[in-house]
Amino acid sequence: MSLSVESHVSIERVAIVGGTHGNELIGVFQVRKFAQLPHLVQRSNFETLTLVSNAKAVEARRRYIDTDLNRCFNPQDLQNPNLVDYEQLLAKKIAYTIQQEKIDFIIDLHTTTSNMGLTIILHNQHPYLLRLAAYLTTLNPLVRVLVHQFNHDNSYLIDLCELGLAIEVGPIAQGTLHAELFQQSEALVGAILDFVERCNQGETPEIPETFTLYEQVKILSYPRDEHKQIRAMIHPQLQARDYELLHPGDPLFLGLDGEVILYQGESTITPVFINEAAYYEKDYALGLAIQQPMTLSN
Amino acid sequence: MSLSVESHVSIERVAIVGGTHGNELIGVFQVRKFAQLPHLVQRSNFETLTLVSNAKAVEARRRYIDTDLNRCFNPQDLQNPNLVDYEQLLAKKIAYTIQQEKIDFIIDLHTTTSNMGLTIILHNQHPYLLRLAAYLTTLNPLVRVLVHQFNHDNSYLIDLCELGLAIEVGPIAQGTLHAELFQQSEALVGAILDFVERCNQGETPEIPETFTLYEQVKILSYPRDEHKQIRAMIHPQLQARDYELLHPGDPLFLGLDGEVILYQGESTITPVFINEAAYYEKDYALGLAIQQPMTLSN
């Protein structure tokens, strides 16, 4: 696949958001730091706003109060007056703010208990985003680019803008900070702002000719017993092996009773978000992604 | 220090407890497994009961509903009719059950986000517990024995019996399972039950002449700014270094602004529970323990 340069995009207002999940502390503390030291996120040719999106959940040290805020931004839901859970109302307020403030680029800061390193999540393949993502992969070998299009209903905060991305850093336990990941996450934010500044100036930041795009295509659930209780754990040989190839016949789960459950797929695939804490309630044990080599024109 | 053999102790009823913190899943799933497969915890000369102690918190995927259950067992609090938070009432019910069931040994299963390996926590130095702990250290080099006596008000679930211990396994994120730690935790429970069975029979399980006891003597808090907000994280050089010696002048915290804060103590000490998620609200960044070589007589 080849992409032409998108020279038309000019960003005027960027929002850096943390605390969309209240127990993902790196984003919360990052945004607080940027609010205290705004020169860190100021650039010459656009405005930057910072937002702790779910301060009440942060205060409660929980992912959310009533429901996952980061599934409340579907346009139909935002228009639905019957949706009045705390996060459903909060989403409407945030959507209004993003619109009023004329935000045209969103960076949403997340953490994961999975060994996802420094993952850039895109919800579409806009050439501007792909070029930015390719640029970020050159900064740190832990940077990987994951596209979430599968089964996607535009219900995430970043879906409020065409241009936006989430940064997922891990592994880190919910409710904790981690100095190294904090610094790496901050460096990514800085690099994104630099990229935007240079593109706004008409410069073309140097990007690699090709990079790897991971596209999530499937979710695997936990095996359950007749009472719907989880009856198996991520197998030790799969634990923390995000982005390492999974082959047909490889161990996937280890039953509480010791049974080994193998991957039954027909071809090699890339596991992502293995054993993410917040996904237990979503019945999501791991995601499966395919690798796409992307070629960009300079 | 030398200890004589305690041959008088005979255990009649053991309770294996999980879910005292609702988001520490290994204990919850372990106890459910034992309830389904009781032969795993049955032994010839005592009874074993299993208990998920805070099922409502497990259901809510949270450490607790109103307050930390594992700080509600102080005898005065159990007698205080004014304490009616959910966990305060639950503690009274559990204390009554433990008494009615004539439980004389408690194993309480916990997990931690800190790299505590397989830690046996004792709340007193009863010779029986020390001999058991020494026995467990022979089974796996990750087993360490930590005594919590400092600042201790008998408010933990295991304080309901003179003989009891907590098993803390980590590192593991709250709200997740981890197959290897699950198996290691289960093996420890089995070994404890074997030890009790053999002692009840008048046998003397072979124990090492000496082992290392860690005694927690101090807690270090997070540095805070003028608004009482945490302003520094565990330093990368200290992260996950539980049980590795900390020397005066070693880095302790890394400020959000990059400032390095050094350990100011006068002597070398052992850090424990570094960066435990549940302790952020308790303002406990890490514990400091001293090592005591213990000599036991066979």
Side-chain angles (χ1 to χ4, degrees):
Chain A
M1 184 172 178
S2 176
L3 297 164
S4 60
V5 179
E6 272 288 315
S7 56
H8 315 298
V9 174
S10 178
I11 306 292
E12 294 187 8
R13 293 170 73 79
V14 172
I16 305 173
V17 183
T20 300
H21 295 132
N23 56 10
E24 297 179 5
L25 297 192
I26 286 181
V28 176
F29 280 78
Q30 203 106 78
V31 165
R32 283 183 187 156
K33 175 178 177 176
F34 294 150
Q36 281 172 8
L37 304 168
H39 67 276
L40 293 175
V41 290
Q42 279 162 359
R43 295 296 184 275
S44 62
N45 51 28
F46 61 91
E47 298 287 318
T48 307
L49 275 79
T50 58
L51 175 68
V52 174
S53 45
N54 197 344
K56 194 169 167 182
V58 173
E59 183 68 25
R61 300 168 196 277
R62 286 158 58 184
R63 184 175 174 89
Y64 55 78
I65 302 298
D66 289 334
T67 189
D68 190 338
L69 174 62
N70 211 27
R71 302 294 184 276
C72 291
F73 291 95
N74 173 282
Q76 285 182 314
D77 290 346
L78 291 173
Q79 297 297 327
N80 184 342
N82 294 317
L83 300 180
V84 293
D85 275 354
Y86 178 71
E87 277 81 7
Q88 290 166 337
L89 294 172
L90 180 60
K92 292 170 186 178
K93 182 177 163 195
I94 292 168
Y96 181 76
T97 303
I98 295 290
Q99 188 185 35
Q100 288 299 104
E101 295 282 353
K102 300 197 169 80
I103 300 297
D104 44 17
F105 195 101
I106 298 176
I107 304 168
D108 196 20
L109 302 175
H110 288 262
T111 67
T112 170
T113 64
S114 306
N115 187 20
M116 291 291 279
L118 310 175
T119 293
I120 306 297
I121 295 187
L122 306 181
H123 281 195
N124 66 63
Q125 298 192 34
H126 192 293
Y128 189 91
L129 291 177
L130 290 178
R131 295 179 67 80
L132 167 57
Y135 173 76
L136 296 175
T137 63
T138 65
L139 302 176
N140 188 323
L142 286 176
V143 172
R144 292 194 184 81
V145 184
L146 181 65
V147 181
H148 263 193
Q149 289 174 308
F150 156 74
N151 235 353
H152 185 50
D153 63 353
N154 294 309
S155 63
Y156 291 66
L157 191 144
I158 62 170
D159 298 323
L160 293 173
C161 287
E162 185 182 15
L163 297 179
L165 56 83
I167 299 177
E168 282 277 5
V169 301
I172 177 174
Q174 295 174 343
T176 67
L177 288 165
H178 186 289
E180 203 174 352
L181 289 172
F182 184 91
Q183 291 181 315
Q184 290 169 334
S185 179
E186 184 170 329
L188 282 176
V189 172
I192 293 167
L193 299 176
D194 292 345
F195 180 95
V196 171
E197 183 179 43
R198 290 175 62 190
C199 288
N200 275 359
Q201 284 166 348
E203 285 182 42
T204 307
E206 198 166 310
I207 58 168
E209 266 185 37
T210 64
F211 76 107
T212 302
L213 198 67
Y214 295 88
E215 181 171 355
Q216 189 174 314
V217 291
K218 200 172 176 184
I219 285 168
L220 295 186
S221 303
Y222 286 102
R224 296 191 176 254
D225 65 17
E226 67 274 22
H227 306 293
K228 311 275 185 203
Q229 294 279 9
I230 287 174
R231 68 172 181 86
M233 309 169 276
I234 295 296
H235 193 279
Q237 286 181 41
L238 182 60
Q239 175 67 27
R241 298 288 181 85
D242 304 80
Y243 292 116
E244 293 185 29
L245 288 178
L246 182 70
H247 305 280
D250 282 351
L252 209 53
F253 297 105
L254 180 66
L256 298 177
D257 58 2
E259 181 197 2
V260 176
I261 298 167
L262 305 177
Y263 176 55
Q264 305 278 358
E266 287 176 1
S267 56
T268 297
I269 203 154
T270 305
V272 293
F273 284 110
I274 300 167
N275 209 1
E276 159 56 39
Y279 294 172
Y280 275 65
E281 68 177 3
K282 299 183 199 293
D283 200 25
Y284 173 129
L286 66 152
L288 298 178
I290 50 173
Q291 295 188 25
Q292 299 179 6
M294 287 295 270
T295 303
L296 305 172
S297 59
N298 265 298
Chain B
M1 185 173 178
S2 176
L3 298 164
S4 60
V5 179
E6 272 287 316
S7 56
H8 314 300
V9 174
S10 178
I11 306 291
E12 294 186 8
R13 293 170 74 79
V14 172
I16 305 174
V17 184
T20 299
H21 294 132
N23 56 10
E24 296 178 5
L25 298 192
I26 286 181
V28 176
F29 279 78
Q30 204 105 79
V31 165
R32 283 184 188 156
K33 175 177 176 176
F34 294 150
Q36 281 171 9
L37 304 168
H39 66 277
L40 293 174
V41 290
Q42 279 163 358
R43 295 295 185 276
S44 62
N45 52 27
F46 60 91
E47 298 287 317
T48 307
L49 275 79
T50 57
L51 175 68
V52 174
S53 45
N54 196 345
K56 194 169 167 181
V58 173
E59 183 68 25
R61 299 166 195 278
R62 286 158 58 184
R63 183 174 175 90
Y64 54 78
I65 302 298
D66 288 335
T67 190
D68 189 338
L69 174 62
N70 212 26
R71 303 295 184 274
C72 291
F73 292 94
N74 174 283
Q76 286 182 314
D77 291 346
L78 291 173
Q79 297 297 328
N80 184 342
N82 295 317
L83 300 180
V84 294
D85 275 354
Y86 178 71
E87 277 82 5
Q88 290 166 336
L89 295 172
L90 181 59
K92 293 171 186 177
K93 182 177 163 195
I94 292 168
Y96 180 76
T97 303
I98 294 291
Q99 189 184 35
Q100 288 298 105
E101 295 281 353
K102 299 196 169 81
I103 300 297
D104 45 16
F105 195 102
I106 298 176
I107 304 168
D108 196 19
L109 302 175
H110 289 261
T111 66
T112 170
T113 65
S114 307
N115 187 19
M116 292 290 278
L118 310 175
T119 293
I120 305 297
I121 294 186
L122 306 181
H123 281 195
N124 66 62
Q125 297 192 33
H126 192 293
Y128 189 91
L129 291 177
L130 291 178
R131 295 180 67 80
L132 167 58
Y135 172 76
L136 296 174
T137 63
T138 65
L139 301 177
N140 188 323
L142 286 176
V143 172
R144 293 193 183 84
V145 184
L146 180 66
V147 180
H148 263 193
Q149 289 174 308
F150 156 73
N151 236 353
H152 184 50
D153 63 353
N154 294 310
S155 64
Y156 291 65
L157 191 145
I158 62 169
D159 298 322
L160 292 174
C161 286
E162 185 181 16
L163 297 179
L165 56 82
I167 299 177
E168 282 277 6
V169 301
I172 177 174
Q174 295 174 344
T176 67
L177 288 164
H178 185 288
E180 203 174 353
L181 289 172
F182 184 91
Q183 291 180 316
Q184 290 169 335
S185 179
E186 184 170 327
L188 281 176
V189 172
I192 293 167
L193 299 176
D194 293 343
F195 180 94
V196 171
E197 183 179 44
R198 291 175 62 189
C199 288
N200 276 359
Q201 284 166 348
E203 285 182 41
T204 306
E206 199 167 308
I207 58 170
E209 269 185 36
T210 64
F211 76 106
T212 301
L213 197 68
Y214 295 87
E215 182 171 353
Q216 189 175 314
V217 292
K218 200 173 176 182
I219 285 168
L220 295 185
S221 301
Y222 286 102
R224 295 189 177 258
D225 65 17
E226 67 274 24
H227 306 294
K228 311 276 185 200
Q229 294 279 10
I230 287 175
R231 68 173 182 85
M233 308 168 275
I234 295 295
H235 193 279
Q237 286 180 41
L238 181 60
Q239 175 68 27
R241 298 288 181 86
D242 304 80
Y243 292 115
E244 294 185 29
L245 288 178
L246 183 69
H247 305 282
D250 281 350
L252 209 53
F253 297 106
L254 180 66
L256 298 177
D257 58 2
E259 181 197 2
V260 176
I261 298 167
L262 305 177
Y263 175 56
Q264 305 277 357
E266 286 174 2
S267 56
T268 296
I269 203 153
T270 306
V272 293
F273 285 111
I274 300 167
N275 209 2
E276 159 56 40
Y279 293 172
Y280 276 64
E281 67 177 4
K282 300 184 198 293
D283 200 25
Y284 174 128
L286 65 152
L288 298 178
I290 51 173
Q291 294 189 23
Q292 299 179 5
M294 288 294 270
T295 303
L296 304 173
S297 59
N298 264 298

